[in-house]
């Protein structure tokens, strides 16, 4: 189990011996699904910002295009950072 996920489980009062009805590997999978959901939101934001960038670029509005591109890059970075932090692979 990823160290951070384990720390959060312990903080929530979930220990190997406490949860006999729900094995710890199932809780780890549950946590991974939550992380993937968060990453999905970041990826969705990146895609929306990319579409905005290309739409605004076509109208040659430089300021809004730069904001959209910057937001896209930040969302992509955040997605990667979340996956790395929680040890979730692609």
């Amino acid at each position: 189990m990823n160290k951070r996920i384990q720390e959060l489980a312990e903080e929530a009062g979930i220990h190997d011996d406490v949860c006999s009805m729900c094995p710890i590997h199932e809780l780890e999978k549950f946590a991974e699904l939550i992380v993937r959901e968060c990453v999905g939101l970041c990826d969705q934001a990146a895609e929306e910002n990319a579409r905005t960038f290309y739409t605004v670029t076509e109208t040659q509005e430089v300021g809004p295009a730069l904001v959209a591109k910057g937001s896209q890059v930040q969302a992509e970075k955040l997605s990667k950072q979340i996956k790395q932090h929680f040890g979730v692979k692609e």
Side-chain angles (χ1 to χ4, degrees), residues 59-76:
T59 64
Q60 299 186 0
E61 295 180 47
V62 176
L66 291 176
V67 170
K69 186 63 174 177
S71 296
Q72 175 194 354
V73 170
Q74 279 306 113
E76 290 168 352

Side-chain angles (χ1 to χ4, degrees), residues 22-35:
C22 185
I24 200 75
H25 69 276
E26 289 179 7
L27 292 173
E28 181 178 18
K29 181 64 178 175
F30 177 67
E32 182 179 322
L33 291 172
I34 292 172
V35 170

Side-chain angles (χ1 to χ4, degrees), residues 33-66:
L33 291 172
I34 292 172
V35 170
R36 287 186 184 279
E37 188 80 15
C38 294
V39 167
L41 293 172
C42 292
D43 293 343
Q44 181 181 353
E47 289 172 18
E48 290 172 4
N49 287 319
R51 282 193 299 275
T52 301
F53 170 73
Y54 291 115
T55 301
V56 174
T57 301
E58 290 173 2
T59 64
Q60 299 186 0
E61 295 180 47
V62 176
L66 291 176

Side-chain angles (χ1 to χ4, degrees), residues 18-23 26:
V18 173
C19 196
S20 61
M21 295 294 289
C22 185
E26 289 179 7

